[in-house]
Amino acid sequence: MDFEVDLPGNDIDDIEDLISADDVKPRERYENKKNVTVRAKRRQQIKPTVSEAADTEPQPQKKIHESVIPGTQKVYVKTWGCAHNNSDSEYMAGQLAAFGYKLSGKEEADLWLLNSCTVKNPSEDTFRNEIESGMRIGKHVVVAGCVPQGAPRSEYLRGLSVIGTTQIDRVVEVVEETLKGHSVRLLQNRKVNGKRVAGAPLALPKVRKNPLIEIISINSGCLNQCTYCKTKHARGDLASYAPAEIVARARQSFDEGCCEIWLTSEDTGAYGRDIGSSLPELLWQLVEVIPENCMLRVGMTNPPYILEHLEEVAKVLQHPRVYAFLHVPVQSGSDSVLADMKREYCRKDFEHVVEFLRARVPGLTIATDIICGFPTETEDDFEQTITLCEKYHFPSLFINQFFPRPNTPAAKMTRIPANLVKQRTKRLTELFYSYEPYAERVGQLYTVLVTEISHDKLHYVGHNKSYEQVLLPMRDNLLGTRVRVRITSVSKFSMLGELLDDEQEWTRCANSKPLQQSPKAQLTQRYVGLALLIVSLAYLLQLLLRYLYR
């Protein structure tokens, strides 16, 4: 694998930034000098390597469709990254399915729709490899997500159709044109009345990965400019959806059978600052429409924008239909490193968030993130991160090695030796595995909402009020119910529970029962029923007359 060396000048977006159409061309410079002859430099012939020679073998040709008839082509959708990306993919899959396309596995698909993540190098490398794999076997490929939006001139994206992060409602036309052999690139920001908006309308159809869980993007972009972050290049500055649109989407999701909602964005704590609203204002509106036995999970929030809302956020997290869970990334325990990252808070700010919420929200779970090996991180800086994690024993700790993302300020900083980064990562990981957050839970009783299947396909997964994971036996009709359980054993990441109630005692989300129809709908249904009755009687009368006069 080739690695690009970060040298001064490598951050130029395009050669057109250096040479303009008005500059004097070499031939013009020399044409009035008779003693100078312009000769083209003879290029040395380059012999392909073994791998390059293998690439010259005939490849399967993509089938070019002169016309596209919905329902005759199959599309494979692959997603990398966060809940926001997953929601975007569900929207795109929903529109394709509604238009008649069949969603399928990668082998039988005519077209691959690849939705990318730009946070880390490995995820982008996997994305690139998947593109090359699809092209190699003759698949049409459409790319979406943060990678092409943040770096649209990447060489490996040349000639591919691209769907920008705010253009996902146009996926059908992009897929149609791509199947016809055309290349379409939709990267412009979405604007309404000249003002940038968060993205496509929230009311679009969806094909959910999990039909019980709705992921709602409440805003796009953020207010920070972290020195290591590439996502900012793709998602841009903060743009929030109106509270009414989000609440309407929540209602729609529950009507469609969901029993759990996840709010997501690049920073939920910053929600509403661009439209005169706030996260607590939105949350209080949402809890009013959450049916009984359903739950709401608040997404990731950075410390700076949650500080002024702590009192209200604490009250919302105590609500019986809101998980007592919050993801607050700290990234480092050192003020010096936080300043170099431009995180806009200090360690004491983060500690205040944790301690304030833990004191007021019973059973609160706080998850956090750490970046090991940021370029300016010293041994003392890392020790401060260790002491922070020792102090709070976070039950969910996401440990990441620093990755220099292209065209970010941190990518130009002198990197720490890779072996040192690995040592620090290993030490923090060992600390994380040294404590058992659920060690004292055997015998505890909980009510859990069952919404998922475990990775090993051997258990159903439920979550208690603290959003702690409880594994349960795979009983028929258990998904989508709230049940009482007793903990029988624990592990580092979950608890194993036994059911305490018989099936007739399980409870379901209020909206999973037959919906109460409006008076207009009831009247329409009566007219339809009456019409069917009249038609049936007329048919029977006709049969009777035929029999009598036969």
Side-chain angles (χ1 to χ4, degrees), residues 69-255:
I69 303 174
T72 59
Q73 287 85 36
K74 298 177 181 178
V75 179
Y76 164 67
V77 181
K78 170 73 174 177
T79 311
W80 291 265
C82 64
H84 196 163
N85 261 22
N86 278 277
S87 179
D88 287 351
S89 289
E90 290 177 352
Y91 274 127
M92 290 189 284
Q95 292 169 88
L96 291 169
F99 200 73
Y101 287 102
K102 297 176 183 177
L103 303 176
S104 72
K106 63 195 304 184
E107 298 302 326
E108 61 267 33
D110 301 284
L111 180 144
W112 290 5
L113 173 56
L114 307 177
N115 192 5
S116 61
C117 172
T118 192
V119 171
K120 300 178 185 178
N121 296 40
S123 60
E124 182 170 349
D125 291 340
T126 307
F127 170 62
R128 183 189 314 197
N129 292 338
E130 196 78 345
I131 291 173
E132 294 172 352
S133 173
M135 302 293 284
R136 193 179 304 118
I137 61 176
K139 303 292 185 183
H140 293 277
V141 176
V142 174
V143 295
C146 292
V147 170
Q149 185 74 57
R153 294 175 179 174
S154 298
E155 182 63 31
Y156 69 94
L157 299 177
R158 187 183 297 275
L160 295 177
S161 289
V162 177
I163 301 173
T165 54
T166 65
Q167 299 290 333
I168 59 173
D169 57 330
R170 301 180 65 182
V171 62
V172 170
E173 60 187 284
V174 174
V175 165
E176 280 189 324
E177 291 304 314
T178 303
L179 287 168
K180 295 175 184 177
H182 304 150
S183 177
V184 183
R185 296 170 72 87
L186 301 177
L187 290 164
Q188 62 273 30
N189 286 322
R190 180 180 295 274
K191 294 184 178 181
V192 174
N193 298 324
K195 183 180 179 182
R196 180 174 170 266
V197 295
L202 293 180
L204 294 171
K206 261 192 178 186
V207 172
R208 299 179 182 92
K209 183 178 180 181
N210 184 334
L212 298 176
I213 297 176
E214 166 70 3
I215 306 170
I216 303 180
S217 304
I218 62 174
N219 56 268
S220 183
C222 65
L223 294 173
N224 264 23
Q225 191 72 53
C226 300
T227 57
Y228 57 83
C229 181
K230 183 72 174 175
T231 306
K232 178 76 173 188
H233 297 192
R235 297 286 185 177
D237 291 328
L238 178 69
S240 303
Y241 285 99
E245 186 174 2
I246 298 169
V247 172
R249 180 66 201 188
R251 288 181 184 273
Q252 177 184 345
S253 304
F254 290 125
D255 289 345

